Amino acid sequence: MQEQQNNGLNQNHPEIEKPAKPNKRKKIIWTIVIVTLVIGACTFAYLYGEYKARQAYYDVADTEAYPADSVHVDGWASPEDYANWKNATFPIPQYDDIPTPFKRGIVKIFLDNGYLNGKEGDDIYFFTKIKDRAYRVIAYGDFTGQGDREMAFVLENSDFESSAIFIIPQNGNILYWKKLSNELPTIKSFKKGALIYLNEMKLVPAPNDGIIKQTKNSKYVLIYNKQTKTFDEYYQYTEDDIKNAQETEEGDEPEETADTIVVEQ
């Protein structure tokens, strides 16, 4: 009788004999989760590796072997043009440390404007070959305040009296260009917050990175105006300028004069 009852219990509750189904379901779910995580990790590693490789390409100086472009950049010379013309564009070793993206942009500027194969009498510009001066015609900074590294550089004119200043981003497209007649200045950069003269004879913090353009007789800052979207120049006063201005102000004050009115008694 008891055996029959036990058999009856087993027939009414067949799940007692098959407890493995939920475990199989869990294993399948965990397998799917693990595979998904592995695929995600591999995808992230690949994309991150591509990103780091691209960043390294932008940051390194020129080398004989450089990676092929993964994107088309309008402001760069082609790899073939760059290889053919880089030595003519950068004539001395002092320019070797210029990052490759900027170099390719500069080579394109030279080619587009005929600086490398111009005829006699043309307006030709070139980098100075004076070693001590070469370091003083290049400056880097975030001049437009967009968070990108930008480059300013000065090229000399074939008349050896004039020059031109350029500002370009890493993609090479020109942000600013100006011919400097009868000027051969040097340049250097300053950081946002540096004290400079803007609209008056009073030092104020610079609103963003900028460029100091200096000659024997004058010093100017070139700084980006976010309202007008232009680069504006501001004269930088010397100690003599300030002293002379103070003396002029003192000289303009009215002198005290003796009372000449005679009081009759």
Side-chain angles (χ1 to χ4, degrees):
M1 180 69 69
Q2 290 181 351
E3 290 178 0
Q4 291 178 353
Q5 290 176 350
N6 290 337
N7 290 335
L9 288 172
N10 291 338
Q11 291 175 358
N12 292 334
H13 301 281
E15 66 274 14
I16 295 176
E17 295 180 353
K18 300 178 181 180
K21 286 187 178 180
N23 290 336
K24 289 183 179 179
R25 207 173 283 118
K26 287 181 181 179
K27 286 181 180 178
I28 293 171
I29 293 172
W30 277 110
T31 300
I32 294 172
V33 170
I34 292 170
V35 170
T36 303
L37 290 174
V38 170
I39 293 173
C42 292
T43 302
F44 174 81
Y46 174 79
L47 294 175
Y48 184 75
E50 287 288 304
Y51 168 78
K52 294 300 289 183
R54 191 64 179 173
Q55 289 299 108
Y57 176 50
Y58 277 107
D59 293 337
V60 297
D62 184 22
T63 56
E64 286 300 320
Y66 50 87
D69 295 332
S70 61
V71 294
H72 177 69
V73 180
D74 290 334
W76 287 358
S78 68
E80 295 78 15
D81 284 340
Y82 175 65
N84 290 334
W85 295 103
K86 65 178 180 179
N87 291 333
T89 305
F90 308 101
I92 55 177
Q94 279 67 25
Y95 301 115
D96 288 350
D97 290 337
I98 299 174
T100 301
F102 289 120
K103 277 189 169 184
R104 291 183 64 177
I106 294 169
V107 169
K108 189 173 192 302
I109 290 171
F110 274 54
L111 289 172
D112 289 349
N113 291 278
Y115 297 162
L116 293 168
N117 51 11
K119 299 177 182 179
E120 186 176 351
D122 289 347
D123 213 17
I124 304 299
Y125 289 90
F126 50 86
F127 276 104
T128 180
K129 295 180 182 178
I130 302 173
K131 294 179 180 180
D132 291 341
R133 179 174 165 79
Y135 295 115
R136 296 175 180 150
V137 296
I138 294 172
Y140 300 96
D142 178 15
F143 303 125
T144 58
Q146 300 181 72
D148 298 323
R149 193 183 188 196
E150 294 156 344
M151 177 183 178
F153 57 94
V154 173
L155 300 179
E156 296 183 4
N157 190 273
S158 52
D159 64 7
F160 294 97
E161 294 180 355
S162 304
S163 59
I165 184 169
F166 294 77
I167 301 175
I168 62 172
Q170 289 194 112
N171 67 12
N173 296 313
I174 298 174
L175 300 174
Y176 177 83
W177 175 88
K178 184 180 181 181
K179 183 175 182 178
L180 307 174
S181 299
N182 301 314
E183 282 189 64
L184 292 171
T186 59
I187 60 172
K188 61 181 178 180
S189 61
F190 59 86
K191 292 294 184 182
K192 178 180 179 179
L195 296 178
I196 59 173
Y197 295 105
L198 289 180
N199 295 312
E200 54 185 345
M201 196 177 288
K202 179 182 178 182
L203 289 169
V204 296
N208 41 268
D209 296 357
I211 301 154
I212 295 174
K213 180 172 70 71
Q214 187 169 3
T215 64
K216 292 180 180 179
N217 303 316
S218 65
K219 182 190 293 186
Y220 288 84
V221 298
L222 190 61
I223 196 161
Y224 185 67
N225 187 323
K226 293 184 178 180
Q227 281 69 45
T228 60
K229 311 301 181 186
T230 58
F231 282 90
D232 299 335
E233 272 192 3
Y234 296 93
Y235 178 73
Q236 298 302 286
Y237 299 100
T238 65
E239 291 182 4
D240 288 341
D241 292 332
I242 296 171
K243 183 179 178 181
N244 292 336
Q246 291 173 344
E247 290 176 352
T248 301
E249 288 178 1
E250 292 173 0
D252 290 341
E253 292 180 1
E255 296 181 1
E256 294 183 2
T257 57
D259 188 2
T260 57
I261 299 175
V262 178
V263 178
E264 296 181 0
Q265 297 182 353

